[in-house]
Amino acid sequence: MFFASDNAGPAHPSVMQALMDANTGYASGYGADPQMTRVRDMIRNAFEAPEAAVHLVATGTAANALVLATLSNPWETIFCSPMAHIHEDECNAPEFFTGGAKLTLVDAMDALMTPQGLQDAILAEETRGVHGPQRGPVSITQATEKGTVYNTADLIALTDVAKSFGLKTHMDGARFTNALVSLGCTPAEMTWKAGIDAVSFGGTKNGLIGVEACIFFDPAVSRQFEFRRKRGAHLFSKHRYLSAQMLAYLTDDLWLTMARQANAACAHLVHGLQHVPDVTLLFPPQSNLLFFDAPRALHRRALAAGAVYYVTRGDVDDGPDDELLTGRLVCDWSTDHGMIDRFIAHLTR
Amino acid sequence: MFFASDNAGPAHPSVMQALMDANTGYASGYGADPQMTRVRDMIRNAFEAPEAAVHLVATGTAANALVLATLSNPWETIFCSPMAHIHEDECNAPEFFTGGAKLTLVDAMDALMTPQGLQDAILAEETRGVHGPQRGPVSITQATEKGTVYNTADLIALTDVAKSFGLKTHMDGARFTNALVSLGCTPAEMTWKAGIDAVSFGGTKNGLIGVEACIFFDPAVSRQFEFRRKRGAHLFSKHRYLSAQMLAYLTDDLWLTMARQANAACAHLVHGLQHVPDVTLLFPPQSNLLFFDAPRALHRRALAAGAVYYVTRGDVDDGPDDELLTGRLVCDWSTDHGMIDRFIAHLTR
Amino acid sequence: MFFASDNAGPAHPSVMQALMDANTGYASGYGADPQMTRVRDMIRNAFEAPEAAVHLVATGTAANALVLATLSNPWETIFCSPMAHIHEDECNAPEFFTGGAKLTLVDAMDALMTPQGLQDAILAEETRGVHGPQRGPVSITQATEKGTVYNTADLIALTDVAKSFGLKTHMDGARFTNALVSLGCTPAEMTWKAGIDAVSFGGTKNGLIGVEACIFFDPAVSRQFEFRRKRGAHLFSKHRYLSAQMLAYLTDDLWLTMARQANAACAHLVHGLQHVPDVTLLFPPQSNLLFFDAPRALHRRALAAGAVYYVTRGDVDDGPDDELLTGRLVCDWSTDHGMIDRFIAHLTR
Amino acid sequence: MFFASDNAGPAHPSVMQALMDANTGYASGYGADPQMTRVRDMIRNAFEAPEAAVHLVATGTAANALVLATLSNPWETIFCSPMAHIHEDECNAPEFFTGGAKLTLVDAMDALMTPQGLQDAILAEETRGVHGPQRGPVSITQATEKGTVYNTADLIALTDVAKSFGLKTHMDGARFTNALVSLGCTPAEMTWKAGIDAVSFGGTKNGLIGVEACIFFDPAVSRQFEFRRKRGAHLFSKHRYLSAQMLAYLTDDLWLTMARQANAACAHLVHGLQHVPDVTLLFPPQSNLLFFDAPRALHRRALAAGAVYYVTRGDVDDGPDDELLTGRLVCDWSTDHGMIDRFIAHLTR
């Protein structure tokens, strides 16, 4: 009963097969492999962006930090939600890769930044000539770290605010596809048509071993990105194994299929939890993860029964039985519905 | 009627005389001037800290950024008030000098961090293994950017929280002496006896041309600081002119005298403003600067009459006459009481 | 006839199988996978270093840059050969990860730094108080970028010089195992017994997809390394796929077998080239790569016949037929002896 | 008998007087003082560059590091002489301010880079796609750290090489005026007319307390420079005291007069040394400093008699009497010819 993270399940067999298939003969390194040409074409097609610059890296933090460094100057501040992965879970990687930019936290509802909150935050960073941090790019996580999803109107409203100040926009798409299938829109509608300038297009949390694409709709910064990636030690010599994963991902809609499976598993969890007494869902679950409040005793029982997930805002083992603690449950493409049913059964027993 | 900043008035004549006196013959550079030996002794005496490491730089931002870089690692976050100069007014200098550390904002009342707020902020930075920013030093501005002052019990309460997490503490003392004479305590009582590890001991805002002392009560980090200062381009070749200013500052209690004059001028302003209709003081003024709300029309009249000060939260020239805007008034050692009286007269007319 | 790089051949089938085997069920991420415990044990055993800190990353540049950053301060200079990968081929990654340290180039013979050259270089960096760059770690590439190998006496002589100045030592072991089997010594003899403090233990150029181990014989810096790796975006969420590769590498002497095959292929190349008229070997080939001078016409013929390798110091297509150009030939575990024979045949025809 | 440095003598009385004159009333800070407007105009006039961007900082290292950071990217390498101050004496400040750029050392004769040496160095940095450091700006010290001076033809030859690769050029003019009066040309001829893009225009070594102007002939980068200066903590709040020094410097040709005096003192030293047995001048002295070889015993006698200067390449107190050691003698505007005569007398006695 493993719900700890979408980075803990196996890669999809098609991805493994693609790795095996790629493992023959010689291939030029550092992104000059023929598979990368196909990857680039397929991503451009999928995003209806024939000019986009596309580069691969192996971790989500690398994708975010390198894209943000490319979009910003060291004397700027990046606007993001207080729950943003770039703020909470990257051990200052954005600060490192940008050369010392700052992050400004924007008021958010259910981890979703609001246009008003963004406008207020930008206005509050007055810059005051050269004294304050200058206004830099806006980073939007889609789906959010809390499992919620911006619809395209939300995105347009946010990017409109950014554009009214001349600011660039970045989408942290570690769970891009989970959001995409949740909305049922096209990649273009969720990105450049909604005013997004650059995307961390994640694969690692959605069935790959470790590949993310960095997509710039304006390719002018592509060369700069390549230097940043190389000196960040994120250019793979045996790059074909990154390309192969991404090729498999984009072939036969595997990316969409896996995200739908993960979201469906999460919906199944939601359905089950709604019937568990004393359990309250915290955010509207719209992708592949959810948060819920439950009494300590309930968490303890589930964990004792072998469930694996994170409990925050308190010690599961120490405190009153009826105190509410928050659990996080994450599904991936491989999450078994039977496993979910057993988990729900343990909770309701 | 100039109240825009305490960096806009002249240096004290004794400081200028000290510069003239220092300007004879040859002197070794880079801090090896004989005056620096005396500066070090006088500061150690004043702070009752015979082992303290003492170094000079020429700007307050350099003092803060270099001290914080010395106390922290690039993967840490520095705790400070949302109004901290290091956060709002240094264009990411702390992020630059630390190599990419983050700043975490602590809830504050009247720009004074509360122990509870600090504890909450530290706890909220859970670190989560290597994923989150790690907890770094606490930076306390004394007097604050809003003119308020921590008393020694406040300081001890804050540093106790920091110490309970094993964190170092920094005092941004750009207005150190204004706070000191406001409290009437000793430098030791306001620093190491209250749990402070390192101080930016300001002179620039208090009658010098441009000198700040960086004081470390534990001298173990002194050598590291010197490398950081040099590669930050903040080691002066003709260092004697920094030493001379600081010597004058510490001689015959000039530092205390000037701070008392600045605070007295501010108190005079407060007294005058209390009798002006429609004016409301925003923070308890405890040092040499104050904030007040007044209708737009009142600000406009004062500025038209030649007063110079910053008005925030709105455009003086555009908006309803009776909308309240915030003005900031700052005094220094040279602020003339007659000038204050004229200013008050313009407001009350 | 592919001799362009040891990063262009396939991974060993056992490595691929290990990936497949690892691809079942859930595994904790970020290095907490059970395979990593075994990797750590096996490396400690192989190096006879039960206390060593062991961490994995996916690129050689990441290993070098992170280890060097851990061993140095930003105000220091790192001593290395003028042909060092960290100097020539990492687009300033060491400068980036160290926060701005410098590299000082040491006189080298056949890409091998000499003890005298190292001593001279260290002495020449006089430091002059805080003015010059301070003396930092010494980085030794084994095998070198030119295919030569330090014997253990050479290594001891170099590390003795470093130690006489109190400097740490790093081994860039991108081709560690090629050197090891060339010398026929133990990993311990080639590292800590020879005075090496930390190793980039390469797997990528020797049959893996992309894994390098960073080994610190003094584990005191291990925690710092982990923060640096995380904020450098080099901590893999699905870490088990790195562990699995390294496990396969260390199992049944696969690492040694693959390096022996690569070296044997190179020896076969050497043997063949020695009978080709107009070809001169440039460095004593002691591992898996070699450099040779040959007339432009000869290179052109080989390349036209389908050989793939780098030619430096001149344009193959433009210039006199008899001008000497330098070719680099690299073998890996998969290099076919028949392919070598065909290549030699093309040259001699 | 002080010849240790041109940063050890007093500031010129006119400079001190200007400081006193500036010390009245209120003045806006951070470069908005009215004096700065005049400084900008005077420098533009002096350099016949009506569009140039002009900014002041207080140390030569700040000027160099900030200008180079403005002209380069972190993945580039800066070309300079092996004796360049930016390489030898700034404790990695250029690496810090650029965010990790590298320095490539160019062959030099008498500390003067040669066009051929520069071309070779640039060609040797092959870049190899994204792998090597990319080619960045060329930094030329005028007068050099060894007291030699490039004539305008030399400068044009160097900048022509740089331009043929599309590289920007920087002049480290810590001793700009000493070179200028030595050549007898105009500032324009020694800079933009000779292909220089940006200048560190030094005042500190030539009679000021501590001011350098950073001049960009293409003002497009001016705003970026201002952010870099601020976050580098090099923007002075009480900026008028920097402006005042520079104003005095440029008034009534004081800068030229002081440089002529320093150079004349050096020429007087040269004349005297030429008659001292066993003394050999090492570089053609063309500005205000010289290097000479002399037996250890001679150095010892001079130093014992009270002379102050640096002796390199050996310990004055330990070694054979007749071993040659190198002394460096530096003059400034205040160097007294009688003092020189006494020094020569001690040597010849």
Side-chain angles (χ1 to χ4, degrees):
Chain A
M1 296 185 297
F2 196 101
F3 305 102
S5 174
D6 37 7
N7 62 38
H12 194 278
S14 300
V15 175
M16 301 308 289
Q17 188 57 50
L19 277 188
M20 300 297 273
D21 294 347
N23 195 47
T24 55
Y26 296 100
S28 291
Y30 304 111
D33 51 286
Q35 291 99 323
M36 186 57 203
T37 306
R38 291 180 53 207
V39 165
R40 193 171 283 112
D41 288 345
M42 292 181 80
I43 288 184
R44 286 172 172 171
N45 282 342
F47 282 80
E48 304 167 52
E51 305 296 331
V54 178
H55 304 289
L56 302 184
V57 295
T59 72
T61 297
N64 288 338
L66 285 167
V67 171
L68 287 169
T70 302
L71 295 183
S72 62
N73 284 303
W75 44 86
E76 293 176 356
T77 189
I78 296 161
F79 297 91
C80 65
S81 124
M83 288 139 180
H85 195 271
I86 60 169
H87 174 60
E88 290 210 308
D89 282 298
E90 301 189 351
C91 195
N92 298 356
E95 289 85 349
F96 175 44
F97 280 83
T98 57
K102 189 188 281 287
L103 270 61
T104 293
L105 307 182
V106 174
D107 271 353
M109 276 274 293
D110 295 335
L112 300 162
M113 291 187 289
T114 62
Q116 188 62 51
L118 179 59
Q119 170 129 351
D120 291 348
I122 296 173
L123 285 171
E125 290 291 353
E126 300 174 19
T127 78
R128 296 177 300 286
V130 300
H131 297 288
Q134 305 299 300
R135 294 158 177 167
V138 177
S139 181
I140 301 169
T141 314
Q142 172 82 323
T144 74
E145 296 77 4
K146 298 300 178 195
T148 50
V149 172
Y150 295 94
N151 63 36
T152 54
D154 295 336
L155 292 172
I156 290 168
L158 284 175
T159 62
D160 276 354
V161 172
K163 284 176 182 172
S164 73
F165 291 94
L167 307 182
K168 298 283 186 192
T169 55
H170 163 243
M171 179 172 283
D172 175 357
R175 296 187 179 94
F176 183 95
T177 317
N178 300 287
L180 187 75
V181 299
S182 174
L183 291 181
C185 68
T186 68
E189 286 166 351
M190 203 169 86
T191 58
W192 64 268
K193 288 185 177 173
I196 298 292
D197 292 305
V199 182
S200 302
F201 173 57
T204 309
K205 289 184 188 298
N206 190 29
L208 301 188
I209 285 179
V211 181
E212 317 273 310
C214 300
I215 307 172
F216 295 91
F217 297 112
D218 175 355
V221 293
S222 181
R223 192 70 182 149
Q224 181 197 141
F225 178 89
E226 290 186 73
F227 292 128
R228 292 187 181 277
R229 177 176 59 170
K230 172 68 187 178
R231 79 173 192 126
H234 285 289
L235 176 59
F236 272 51
S237 59
K238 297 187 174 176
H239 186 278
R240 61 167 135 173
Y241 301 99
L242 299 189
S243 305
Q245 292 181 60
M246 187 52 79
L247 262 185
Y249 194 58
L250 296 168
T251 299
D252 294 337
D253 288 347
L254 180 62
W255 57 311
L256 303 170
T257 303
M258 292 196 290
R260 285 191 190 107
Q261 291 174 202
N263 287 10
C266 187
H268 192 64
L269 255 178
V270 168
H271 182 262
L273 286 172
Q274 280 166 342
H275 298 89
V276 181
D278 302 331
V279 160
T280 315
L281 290 175
L282 291 190
F283 302 96
Q286 296 167 321
S287 57
N288 66 318
L289 72 167
L290 64 82
F291 290 74
F292 69 105
D293 273 353
R296 176 176 279 107
L298 201 58
H299 286 296
R300 203 152 43 199
R301 194 199 314 155
L303 296 169
V308 182
Y309 61 92
Y310 286 101
V311 177
T312 59
R313 317 243 166 254
D315 184 342
V316 176
D317 294 320
D318 188 21
D321 272 12
D322 58 351
E323 191 185 0
L324 293 180
L325 303 179
T326 301
R328 185 187 79 155
L329 304 175
V330 194
C331 301
D332 73 355
W333 70 274
S334 74
T335 305
D336 181 61
H337 285 229
M339 182 174 84
I340 292 172
D341 295 338
R342 290 199 306 281
F343 174 65
I344 298 294
H346 279 292
L347 286 180
T348 43
R349 193 186 335 159
Chain B
M1 295 184 296
F2 197 101
F3 304 102
S5 175
D6 36 7
N7 62 37
H12 193 277
S14 300
V15 174
M16 302 308 287
Q17 188 56 51
L19 278 187
M20 301 296 273
D21 295 345
N23 194 48
T24 54
Y26 296 100
S28 292
Y30 303 110
D33 51 287
Q35 290 100 323
M36 185 59 203
T37 306
R38 290 181 53 206
V39 165
R40 194 171 283 113
D41 288 344
M42 290 181 82
I43 287 185
R44 286 170 172 172
N45 282 343
F47 282 80
E48 305 167 52
E51 305 295 331
V54 178
H55 304 288
L56 302 184
V57 294
T59 72
T61 296
N64 288 338
L66 286 166
V67 170
L68 287 169
T70 302
L71 295 183
S72 63
N73 284 303
W75 46 85
E76 294 176 353
T77 188
I78 296 161
F79 297 91
C80 65
S81 125
M83 288 139 180
H85 196 270
I86 59 169
H87 173 61
E88 290 210 307
D89 282 299
E90 302 188 352
C91 196
N92 299 356
E95 289 84 350
F96 175 44
F97 281 84
T98 57
K102 190 188 280 287
L103 269 59
T104 293
L105 306 182
V106 174
D107 271 353
M109 277 272 294
D110 296 335
L112 299 162
M113 291 188 288
T114 61
Q116 188 61 50
L118 180 58
Q119 171 128 351
D120 291 348
I122 296 173
L123 285 172
E125 289 291 354
E126 301 174 18
T127 77
R128 296 178 302 287
V130 300
H131 297 288
Q134 305 298 301
R135 294 158 177 167
V138 177
S139 181
I140 302 168
T141 313
Q142 173 82 320
T144 73
E145 295 77 4
K146 298 300 178 194
T148 51
V149 172
Y150 296 93
N151 65 35
T152 54
D154 296 337
L155 292 171
I156 290 168
L158 284 175
T159 63
D160 277 353
V161 171
K163 284 176 181 170
S164 73
F165 290 94
L167 307 182
K168 298 283 185 192
T169 55
H170 163 243
M171 178 172 282
D172 175 356
R175 295 187 179 96
F176 184 95
T177 316
N178 299 288
L180 187 76
V181 300
S182 174
L183 291 182
C185 67
T186 68
E189 287 166 349
M190 204 168 85
T191 56
W192 63 268
K193 287 186 178 174
I196 298 292
D197 292 306
V199 182
S200 302
F201 174 59
T204 310
K205 288 184 188 298
N206 190 29
L208 301 188
I209 285 180
V211 181
E212 315 274 310
C214 301
I215 307 173
F216 295 91
F217 296 112
D218 175 355
V221 294
S222 181
R223 191 69 182 151
Q224 180 195 143
F225 178 90
E226 290 186 74
F227 292 128
R228 291 187 183 279
R229 178 176 58 171
K230 173 67 187 180
R231 80 174 190 125
H234 285 289
L235 176 59
F236 272 50
S237 59
K238 297 188 174 176
H239 187 277
R240 61 167 134 171
Y241 301 99
L242 299 189
S243 305
Q245 291 180 60
M246 187 53 77
L247 262 184
Y249 195 57
L250 296 168
T251 299
D252 295 337
D253 288 347
L254 180 62
W255 56 312
L256 302 170
T257 303
M258 291 196 291
R260 284 192 191 108
Q261 291 174 203
N263 288 10
C266 186
H268 192 64
L269 256 177
V270 169
H271 184 261
L273 286 171
Q274 280 166 340
H275 299 88
V276 180
D278 302 329
V279 161
T280 315
L281 290 174
L282 291 191
F283 302 97
Q286 295 167 320
S287 56
N288 66 317
L289 70 168
L290 64 82
F291 291 73
F292 70 105
D293 273 352
R296 176 175 280 107
L298 200 57
H299 287 297
R300 205 154 41 202
R301 194 200 312 155
L303 296 169
V308 182
Y309 61 91
Y310 286 102
V311 177
T312 59
R313 320 242 164 253
D315 183 342
V316 177
D317 294 321
D318 188 20
D321 273 12
D322 58 351
E323 190 185 2
L324 293 180
L325 303 179
T326 301
R328 184 187 81 155
L329 305 175
V330 194
C331 301
D332 74 353
W333 71 272
S334 74
T335 305
D336 182 61
H337 286 229
M339 181 175 85
I340 292 171
D341 294 339
R342 288 200 305 283
F343 174 66
I344 298 294
H346 279 292
L347 287 180
T348 44
R349 193 185 337 156
Chain C
M1 296 185 293
F2 196 100
F3 304 102
S5 174
D6 36 8
N7 63 37
H12 192 278
S14 301
V15 174
M16 301 308 288
Q17 188 56 49
L19 278 187
M20 301 296 273
D21 295 346
N23 195 47
T24 56
Y26 296 100
S28 291
Y30 303 111
D33 50 287
Q35 291 100 322
M36 186 58 203
T37 307
R38 290 180 54 206
V39 164
R40 195 171 282 113
D41 288 345
M42 290 181 82
I43 287 185
R44 286 172 172 170
N45 283 342
F47 282 81
E48 305 168 50
E51 306 295 332
V54 178
H55 304 289
L56 301 184
V57 294
T59 71
T61 297
N64 287 339
L66 286 166
V67 170
L68 287 169
T70 302
L71 296 183
S72 63
N73 284 303
W75 46 86
E76 292 175 355
T77 189
I78 295 161
F79 297 91
C80 66
S81 124
M83 289 140 180
H85 196 270
I86 59 170
H87 174 61
E88 290 210 307
D89 282 298
E90 302 189 350
C91 197
N92 298 356
E95 288 84 350
F96 175 44
F97 281 84
T98 58
K102 189 188 280 288
L103 270 59
T104 294
L105 306 182
V106 174
D107 271 353
M109 277 272 293
D110 295 336
L112 300 162
M113 290 188 289
T114 62
Q116 187 62 49
L118 180 57
Q119 170 129 351
D120 291 349
I122 296 174
L123 285 172
E125 290 292 354
E126 300 174 20
T127 78
R128 296 177 300 286
V130 301
H131 297 288
Q134 305 298 301
R135 294 158 177 167
V138 177
S139 181
I140 302 169
T141 314
Q142 172 80 322
T144 73
E145 295 77 6
K146 297 301 176 193
T148 50
V149 172
Y150 294 94
N151 64 36
T152 53
D154 296 336
L155 292 171
I156 290 168
L158 284 175
T159 63
D160 276 354
V161 172
K163 284 177 181 170
S164 73
F165 290 95
L167 307 182
K168 298 282 186 193
T169 55
H170 162 244
M171 179 173 282
D172 175 357
R175 296 188 179 95
F176 183 95
T177 316
N178 299 288
L180 187 75
V181 301
S182 174
L183 291 181
C185 67
T186 69
E189 286 166 351
M190 204 168 87
T191 57
W192 63 269
K193 288 185 178 174
I196 297 294
D197 292 307
V199 182
S200 302
F201 174 59
T204 310
K205 288 184 188 297
N206 190 29
L208 301 187
I209 284 178
V211 181
E212 317 274 310
C214 301
I215 307 172
F216 294 92
F217 297 112
D218 175 356
V221 293
S222 181
R223 192 71 182 149
Q224 181 196 141
F225 178 90
E226 290 186 73
F227 292 128
R228 291 187 182 278
R229 178 176 58 171
K230 172 68 186 180
R231 81 174 190 123
H234 285 289
L235 177 59
F236 271 52
S237 59
K238 298 188 173 175
H239 187 278
R240 61 167 135 172
Y241 301 98
L242 299 190
S243 304
Q245 291 181 61
M246 188 51 79
L247 262 185
Y249 195 57
L250 296 168
T251 298
D252 295 337
D253 287 348
L254 180 61
W255 57 312
L256 302 170
T257 302
M258 291 196 291
R260 284 192 191 107
Q261 290 175 203
N263 287 11
C266 186
H268 192 63
L269 256 177
V270 168
H271 182 261
L273 286 172
Q274 280 166 341
H275 299 87
V276 180
D278 302 330
V279 160
T280 314
L281 290 173
L282 291 190
F283 301 97
Q286 295 167 322
S287 56
N288 67 318
L289 71 166
L290 63 82
F291 291 73
F292 70 105
D293 273 352
R296 177 176 279 106
L298 200 58
H299 287 295
R300 205 153 42 200
R301 195 199 314 153
L303 296 169
V308 182
Y309 61 91
Y310 286 101
V311 177
T312 58
R313 320 238 166 257
D315 185 340
V316 176
D317 294 320
D318 188 20
D321 272 11
D322 57 351
E323 190 184 1
L324 293 180
L325 302 179
T326 300
R328 186 187 79 155
L329 304 174
V330 194
C331 301
D332 73 353
W333 70 274
S334 73
T335 305
D336 182 60
H337 285 229
M339 181 175 84
I340 292 172
D341 295 338
R342 288 199 306 282
F343 175 65
I344 298 293
H346 279 293
L347 288 179
T348 45
R349 192 182 339 158
Chain D
M1 295 183 295
F2 196 101
F3 304 102
S5 174
D6 37 7
N7 63 37
H12 193 278
S14 300
V15 174
M16 302 308 289
Q17 188 56 49
L19 278 186
M20 301 297 273
D21 294 346
N23 195 48
T24 55
Y26 296 99
S28 292
Y30 303 110
D33 50 287
Q35 291 99 324
M36 186 57 204
T37 307
R38 290 181 53 207
V39 165
R40 194 171 283 113
D41 288 344
M42 291 181 82
I43 288 184
R44 286 171 172 171
N45 282 343
F47 281 80
E48 304 168 52
E51 305 296 331
V54 178
H55 304 289
L56 302 184
V57 294
T59 72
T61 296
N64 287 338
L66 286 166
V67 170
L68 287 169
T70 303
L71 295 183
S72 62
N73 284 304
W75 45 85
E76 293 176 353
T77 188
I78 296 161
F79 296 91
C80 66
S81 125
M83 288 138 181
H85 196 270
I86 60 170
H87 173 61
E88 290 210 307
D89 281 299
E90 301 188 352
C91 197
N92 299 355
E95 288 86 350
F96 175 45
F97 280 83
T98 57
K102 190 189 279 290
L103 270 59
T104 293
L105 307 182
V106 174
D107 271 354
M109 277 273 294
D110 296 336
L112 299 162
M113 290 189 288
T114 62
Q116 187 63 49
L118 179 58
Q119 170 130 350
D120 292 348
I122 295 173
L123 285 172
E125 290 292 353
E126 300 173 19
T127 78
R128 295 177 301 287
V130 301
H131 297 288
Q134 304 299 301
R135 294 158 177 166
V138 177
S139 181
I140 301 169
T141 315
Q142 173 82 322
T144 74
E145 296 78 4
K146 299 300 178 194
T148 51
V149 172
Y150 295 93
N151 63 36
T152 54
D154 295 336
L155 292 171
I156 290 168
L158 284 175
T159 63
D160 276 355
V161 172
K163 283 176 181 170
S164 73
F165 291 94
L167 308 182
K168 298 283 186 192
T169 55
H170 162 243
M171 179 173 281
D172 175 357
R175 295 187 180 97
F176 183 95
T177 317
N178 299 288
L180 188 74
V181 300
S182 174
L183 291 182
C185 67
T186 69
E189 286 166 350
M190 203 168 85
T191 57
W192 64 268
K193 288 185 177 174
I196 298 292
D197 293 307
V199 182
S200 302
F201 174 57
T204 310
K205 288 184 188 299
N206 190 29
L208 301 187
I209 284 179
V211 181
E212 316 273 311
C214 300
I215 308 171
F216 295 91
F217 297 111
D218 175 355
V221 294
S222 182
R223 192 70 183 150
Q224 181 196 142
F225 178 91
E226 290 186 76
F227 293 128
R228 292 187 182 278
R229 178 176 59 172
K230 173 68 187 180
R231 80 174 190 126
H234 285 289
L235 176 59
F236 272 52
S237 59
K238 297 187 174 176
H239 186 278
R240 61 168 135 172
Y241 301 99
L242 299 190
S243 305
Q245 291 180 60
M246 187 52 78
L247 262 185
Y249 194 57
L250 296 167
T251 299
D252 295 337
D253 288 346
L254 180 61
W255 56 314
L256 302 170
T257 303
M258 291 197 290
R260 284 191 191 108
Q261 291 174 203
N263 288 11
C266 186
H268 192 63
L269 256 177
V270 169
H271 183 263
L273 287 171
Q274 281 165 340
H275 299 88
V276 180
D278 303 328
V279 160
T280 315
L281 289 175
L282 292 191
F283 302 97
Q286 295 167 321
S287 57
N288 67 317
L289 72 166
L290 64 83
F291 290 73
F292 69 105
D293 274 352
R296 175 176 280 107
L298 200 57
H299 286 298
R300 203 153 43 203
R301 194 199 314 155
L303 296 168
V308 182
Y309 62 91
Y310 286 101
V311 176
T312 58
R313 318 242 167 253
D315 183 341
V316 176
D317 294 321
D318 187 20
D321 272 13
D322 57 351
E323 191 185 2
L324 292 181
L325 303 179
T326 301
R328 184 187 82 157
L329 304 174
V330 194
C331 301
D332 73 353
W333 70 274
S334 74
T335 305
D336 182 62
H337 285 230
M339 182 174 83
I340 292 171
D341 295 339
R342 288 200 305 283
F343 173 66
I344 298 294
H346 279 293
L347 288 180
T348 43
R349 192 187 340 157

